[in-house]
Amino acid sequence: MAVACSMLSYPPRSYATKKVEGLTLRQILKQNPEQEDEILEKLISLELDVHAHKNRQLNRQKDKLVRMINGLGDTISESQRYELLQTLDGMPNHTKVCHGDFVPSNINIPEDGSTPVIVDWAHATQGNGAADCAITYLHLVLNGEKDFAEKYLRRYCERQGCTMAYVQSWMSIVAAAELERGRVHERDFLMGWIDVVDWV
């Protein structure tokens, strides 16, 4: 299967466009559900590998999230905006490369067995890997993959050496960012996350 993609080279260096013959991790999982644990490990290994890199030319994650929260207008109350921005401001500052949409459908596995190709770097920033993990978790849930999302979150935290509460402390912030992207059909679901600012 030919997959057209816009991608950052991996490890990230420069933008390029090419075609990759192969399947996405999501397609492989759908065809081989018995390989779920193996596919999950591959997904997390690749994400942690991305987070091991730094690129100071990328936009700052916090700056992007501030813009998105402020872009919600009347969608949220002023008190909600204040709490979200205060929570975001208190989060640790990191400079890891963060993909911003690291889901199985954005990982292509070439037919020739060469290095996996990570696509769709439109939301890439430099920032906190835990926030990137929270985004991945939320996107999996929104895609109807709740059980896989729970296993992903638990295993990511085990391998990264952080607590689930630390990643969950980003959930209200990334939910607000998703709402700003115009996810109208998921509005009530995302608002439920935004209302839960303090997970700890």
Side-chain angles (χ1 to χ4, degrees), residues 44 133 151-168:
I44 294 171
C133 173
K151 291 176 68 174
Y152 157 80
L153 178 59
R154 183 171 58 254
R155 187 63 181 136
Y156 176 94
C157 292
E158 288 172 357
R159 292 191 55 183
Q160 178 59 25
C162 64
T163 65
M164 290 178 64
Y166 178 55
V167 174
Q168 289 167 336

Side-chain angles (χ1 to χ4, degrees), residues 136-186:
T136 296
Y137 172 84
L138 189 58
H139 285 188
L140 290 170
V141 173
L142 287 171
N143 196 57
E145 300 170 292
K146 174 71 171 173
D147 291 342
F148 187 80
E150 295 295 339
K151 291 176 68 174
Y152 157 80
L153 178 59
R154 183 171 58 254
R155 187 63 181 136
Y156 176 94
C157 292
E158 288 172 357
R159 292 191 55 183
Q160 178 59 25
C162 64
T163 65
M164 290 178 64
Y166 178 55
V167 174
Q168 289 167 336
S169 67
W170 285 92
M171 292 299 185
S172 59
I173 296 167
V174 301
E178 287 303 308
L179 189 60
E180 197 274 339
R181 287 177 181 168
R183 287 184 177 269
V184 178
H185 298 297
E186 295 92 356

Side-chain angles (χ1 to χ4, degrees), residues 2 67 121 129 132:
R67 287 194 301 271
W121 290 84
D132 213 29

Side-chain angles (χ1 to χ4, degrees), residues 55-64 67 124-127:
N55 185 333
R56 296 190 179 276
Q57 294 181 337
L58 291 172
N59 293 328
R60 292 179 69 245
Q61 184 184 65
K62 276 192 174 183
D63 292 344
K64 180 177 181 178
R67 287 194 301 271
T125 57
Q126 55 169 311

Side-chain angles (χ1 to χ4, degrees), residues 20-191:
V20 178
E21 298 288 344
L23 298 174
T24 68
L25 275 184
R26 179 162 282 142
Q27 289 170 322
I28 295 172
L29 178 59
K30 186 175 181 179
Q31 294 176 7
N32 306 278
E34 74 282 357
Q35 295 181 16
E36 180 177 283
D37 289 343
E38 179 183 343
I39 290 169
L40 177 63
E41 289 299 321
K42 184 181 292 291
L43 179 73
I44 294 171
S45 293
L46 288 170
E47 187 170 21
L48 291 175
D49 200 2
V50 170
H51 292 168
H53 292 84
K54 295 185 178 183
N55 185 333
R56 296 190 179 276
Q57 294 181 337
L58 291 172
N59 293 328
R60 292 179 69 245
Q61 184 184 65
K62 276 192 174 183
D63 292 344
K64 180 177 181 178
L65 291 170
V66 167
R67 287 194 301 271
M68 296 179 86
I69 292 170
N70 283 327
L72 284 168
D74 295 335
T75 305
I76 60 174
S77 67
E78 284 303 313
S79 61
Q80 286 173 317
R81 189 188 326 279
Y82 176 80
E83 290 295 333
L84 287 166
L85 292 175
Q86 285 294 106
T87 301
L88 176 58
D89 186 59
M91 292 299 192
N93 293 310
H94 292 174
T95 57
K96 297 176 180 179
V97 171
C98 294
H99 183 273
D101 191 12
F102 203 87
V103 292
S105 57
N106 282 333
I107 314 298
N108 287 333
I109 307 300
E111 290 179 351
D112 62 8
S114 56
T115 303
V117 177
I118 302 169
V119 304
D120 189 7
W121 290 84
H123 303 293
T125 57
Q126 55 169 311
N128 195 309
D132 213 29
C133 173
I135 292 169
T136 296
Y137 172 84
L138 189 58
H139 285 188
L140 290 170
V141 173
L142 287 171
N143 196 57
E145 300 170 292
K146 174 71 171 173
D147 291 342
F148 187 80
E150 295 295 339
K151 291 176 68 174
Y152 157 80
L153 178 59
R154 183 171 58 254
R155 187 63 181 136
Y156 176 94
C157 292
E158 288 172 357
R159 292 191 55 183
Q160 178 59 25
C162 64
T163 65
M164 290 178 64
Y166 178 55
V167 174
Q168 289 167 336
S169 67
W170 285 92
M171 292 299 185
S172 59
I173 296 167
V174 301
E178 287 303 308
L179 189 60
E180 197 274 339
R181 287 177 181 168
R183 287 184 177 269
V184 178
H185 298 297
E186 295 92 356
R187 184 184 186 282
D188 290 343
F189 174 81
L190 292 171
M191 285 300 297

